[in-house]
Amino acid sequence: MHSQHLYPLPHRRLSNTMIGYLNLVTLVASIPIIGAGLWLAHGSAAVTCESALQTPLLAIGFIVLLISLAGFIGACYHVTWALWLYLLAMLLLVLALLGITVFGLAVTAGGGGGRQVPGRPYREFRITDYSAWLQRHVEVDRYWRAALACVVGSRACPRIAAWTPLDYLQHNLTPIQSGCCKPPTSCTYNEQGIPIAAPAQDEEDCYRWNNAPSVLCYQCDSCKAGVLEQVRRDWHTITILNVIVLVLLIAIYSCGCCAFRNARRADYTYGGMSSKTNPRWDYFWSRWWNGHREQLY
């Protein structure tokens, strides 16, 4: 009996090894989460300065990283309380990532996509095509000012400032360029720049447009719609990544729970009364193996 406490039991050692490998997998899984948050902050998504998912993704990514390291240490050094803490933290992490994924699907699933402009390769967007939450988000002045500052800072409009009418017939536009850098295609202006034909749905934007580089259509509803379309596309991409990581984390958490349960069952079976009254099928094999292994040392 004394030798059973000197050396790790086979089931416990196997379970700890499994938990260690699982933590290595979660450690690797944290990399795409952190990468997605950084992409939202510095990649093509940075044009909208949309931090509604950027900050939570970065936080969850680094939390996964720290939890994986803690679980790895707990598994290697047989620290039971660390494994309990690891499993609890993993559960909270899965719930948090699930909440972000469901939220992202809810606000981006319906609407969007824009309308193809006849005879043009680009699409135009209307703010009424997006979810009520996204519409309210851009209507709040402090959010829109921050997003507009990023749109201007991205220099999306100066890239097409020298385009001719022929260029608009041949080249595609990003949602930001389509909504913020030009008036709606349906607007018609005279030589003085005064609208002479403005459809009802675009009338206000036709009058908001100004050819000054600092004005353009930055205050148009079409610009807000272009920002929302860019947000919708970015969130859709991130949501797909979240679903993949979420499925992986749930599978890892389930395996970790099974491994931890087997480790505790092995401790109880070999160290308590159960081994005498109702031994498991591998009880005698384990005693023989532990005894011979002790002789080798």
Side-chain angles (χ1 to χ4, degrees):
M1 181 66 67
H2 179 68
S3 63
Q4 295 176 3
H5 298 280
L6 288 177
Y7 304 101
L9 297 171
H11 280 73
R12 176 168 181 155
R13 183 167 55 187
L14 178 61
S15 298
N16 285 333
T17 301
M18 181 181 296
I19 294 176
Y21 279 116
L22 290 176
N23 276 280
L24 183 60
V25 175
T26 56
L27 188 67
V28 175
S30 68
I31 296 176
I33 300 178
I34 296 174
L38 294 175
W39 177 70
L40 281 176
H42 302 290
S44 62
V47 69
T48 60
C49 275
E50 187 55 48
S51 60
L53 284 183
Q54 167 193 328
T55 303
L57 278 176
L58 285 175
I60 288 178
F62 283 109
I63 290 174
V64 170
L65 185 66
L66 295 176
I67 289 176
S68 301
L69 290 175
F72 191 80
I73 293 174
C76 291
Y77 294 96
H78 315 294
V79 183
T80 304
W81 65 266
L83 294 178
W84 271 113
L85 184 62
Y86 160 74
L87 292 176
L88 176 61
M90 278 289 290
L91 176 61
L92 296 177
L93 184 65
V94 167
L95 294 177
L97 190 58
L98 179 63
I100 292 179
T101 302
V102 172
F103 174 76
L105 286 173
V107 300
T108 61
R115 296 170 176 82
Q116 187 69 44
V117 180
R120 308 291 176 95
Y122 57 83
R123 306 175 76 88
E124 290 185 340
F125 310 90
R126 293 197 175 101
I127 193 172
T128 54
D129 293 338
Y130 299 90
S131 67
W133 186 90
L134 286 176
Q135 292 184 47
R136 290 194 301 268
H137 195 68
V138 294
E139 291 298 336
V140 177
D141 188 56
R142 63 188 181 95
Y143 290 131
W144 177 241
R145 283 203 310 267
L148 186 57
C150 289
V151 170
V152 175
S154 69
R155 301 189 59 81
C157 293
R159 294 192 185 100
I160 63 172
W163 278 20
T164 65
L166 183 61
D167 290 321
Y168 284 94
L169 293 173
Q170 296 177 340
H171 302 290
N172 198 3
L173 297 173
T174 67
I176 300 297
Q177 291 172 333
S178 175
C180 304
C181 306
K182 66 172 189 58
T185 306
S186 58
C187 299
T188 304
Y189 297 87
N190 60 20
E191 295 180 356
Q192 289 74 35
I194 300 175
I196 58 176
Q201 68 270 20
D202 297 323
E203 182 177 4
E204 293 186 5
D205 284 353
C206 291
Y207 284 95
R208 288 169 180 158
W209 161 260
N210 190 299
N211 202 37
S214 61
V215 181
L216 298 181
C217 215
Y218 289 140
Q219 297 303 324
C220 298
D221 286 340
S222 62
C223 186
K224 295 178 180 179
V227 170
L228 293 184
E229 176 62 21
Q230 188 66 54
V231 170
R232 187 191 70 85
R233 294 181 182 183
D234 295 334
W235 281 19
H236 182 70
T237 302
I238 297 301
T239 299
I240 294 176
L241 175 63
N242 283 349
V243 170
I244 296 174
V245 174
L246 186 62
V247 171
L248 180 62
L249 289 179
I250 291 176
I252 292 172
Y253 179 77
S254 301
C255 294
C257 288
C258 293
F260 186 68
R261 182 187 60 184
N262 291 337
R264 289 184 58 83
R265 181 185 297 171
D267 288 345
Y268 176 75
T269 301
Y270 292 109
M273 295 297 296
S274 175
S275 61
K276 296 181 180 180
T277 58
N278 188 25
R280 288 161 55 98
W281 65 271
D282 57 348
Y283 170 67
F284 298 104
W285 177 88
S286 179
R287 289 190 59 185
W288 176 86
W289 168 251
N290 288 330
H292 282 72
R293 187 178 61 174
E294 185 177 359
Q295 293 177 6
L296 294 177
Y297 288 99

